[in-house]
Amino acid sequence: AQSVTQLDSQVPVFEEAPVELRCNYSSSVSVYLFWYVQYPNQGLQLLLKYLSGSTLVESINGFEAEFNKSQTSFHLRKPSVHISDTAEYFCAVSHSTYNTDKLIFGTGTRLQVFP
Amino acid sequence: GAVVSQHPSWVICKSGTSVKIECRSLDFQATTMFWYRQFPKQSLMLMATSNEGSKATYEQGVEKDKFLINHASLTLSTLTVTSAHPEDSSFYICSAQGVYNEQFFGPGTRLTVL
């Protein structure tokens, strides 16, 4: 069975500081990995995804995540955060070859950016 | 592209009544849609997988007679909460599956049962 662990439930950070949101997964098979962002009172939005190829994936708003197979991690990073990045961030995994429909979500990390 | 809408965005109903929530993929066709439930400050819990033209597949512990799902077309899935009670109050989110298994989420529907 697959599982996702987001070690930090909350991450407070000052504006323009770097941030890393940690995500570790457990799976005995190949997986696809995703980061979703949820702004207050809104649905989830896909931030970035890893399917195959380059282990470093980037989003259009400056976030990046690196797939590390040996450490079974997919940490999300941004070198300089903005107030507008304040949101809930969810890491998710799905199987890459069968039962690919199901996304398993982590419990989420609340990123709070202070001025 | 890949926009998913939900209607209504917010609904309040009396205990014992039924509520229907619509999920639409606006610019693509989705043979598979998903329904999630999210409690405050918690992650999403998958309730069921909705497949166009066939019966939905429910996750363990989800009552299929209480949460009726219909996926009548490639762009529309509906979730009906039957005989709603206060404990059914939650944020219900749908998603539609894309080509590479990514899911595109709707904005959610907040249900409050009085």
Side-chain angles (χ1 to χ4, degrees):
Chain A
Q2 298 156 316
S3 66
V4 178
T5 301
Q6 290 183 247
L7 296 170
D8 305 302
S9 59
Q10 295 186 55
V11 173
V13 64
F14 287 109
E15 193 174 20
E16 298 183 2
V19 71
E20 178 180 81
L21 307 183
R22 295 180 291 171
C23 173
N24 288 88
Y25 69 93
S26 174
S27 177
S28 58
V29 297
S30 297
V31 297
Y32 294 144
L33 294 156
F34 306 84
W35 274 100
Y36 285 86
V37 59
Q38 184 179 32
Y39 297 103
N41 298 313
Q42 295 185 30
L44 274 70
Q45 300 174 32
L46 179 65
L47 189 60
L48 45 75
K49 61 182 182 281
Y50 169 78
L51 304 178
S52 64
S54 173
T55 57
L56 184 65
V57 291
E58 299 177 349
S59 71
I60 59 174
N61 57 353
F63 283 94
E64 65 178 29
E66 185 164 19
F67 170 53
N68 188 319
K69 189 175 182 179
S70 62
Q71 297 186 8
T72 61
S73 68
F74 191 55
H75 301 331
L76 182 69
R77 302 183 182 94
K78 188 170 185 179
S80 176
V81 295
H82 301 289
I83 296 287
S84 59
D85 292 325
T86 295
E88 191 85 20
Y89 292 80
F90 293 95
C91 181
V93 61
S94 73
H95 197 291
S96 65
T97 55
Y98 72 89
N99 202 23
T100 56
D101 293 352
K102 292 187 177 181
L103 275 176
I104 307 298
F105 284 89
T107 51
T109 297
R110 170 87 175 148
L111 175 62
Q112 181 73 51
V113 181
F114 294 93
Chain B
V3 178
V4 177
S5 70
Q6 279 185 244
H7 177 80
S9 57
W10 185 36
V11 57
I12 301 175
C13 69
K14 293 181 179 180
S15 184
T17 61
S18 295
V19 175
K20 179 184 284 188
I21 303 170
E22 293 185 348
C23 176
R24 293 181 185 273
S25 57
L26 298 183
D27 50 2
F28 67 105
Q29 294 181 330
T31 56
T32 302
M33 291 184 176
F34 303 89
W35 287 96
Y36 293 86
R37 185 173 180 176
Q38 185 182 29
F39 292 101
K41 298 184 179 181
Q42 294 188 28
S43 189
L44 281 73
M45 181 193 78
L46 180 64
M47 299 174 64
T49 302
S50 170
N51 295 295
E52 187 267 337
S54 64
K55 292 183 178 180
T57 303
Y58 290 81
E59 295 299 301
Q60 190 173 10
V62 178
E63 299 176 60
K64 62 180 181 180
D65 294 330
K66 180 166 186 64
F67 299 99
L68 301 178
I69 292 172
N70 182 278
H71 194 157
S73 77
L74 290 172
T75 59
L76 174 65
S77 176
T78 61
L79 168 68
T80 301
V81 183
T82 61
S83 186
H85 293 284
E87 58 266 29
D88 298 324
S89 298
S90 190
F91 197 49
Y92 292 88
I93 301 173
C94 75
S95 70
Q97 188 179 44
V99 176
Y100 295 107
N101 297 326
E102 71 271 47
Q103 293 184 25
F104 299 99
F105 286 81
T109 296
R110 184 164 301 284
L111 171 63
T112 301
V113 185
L114 302 177

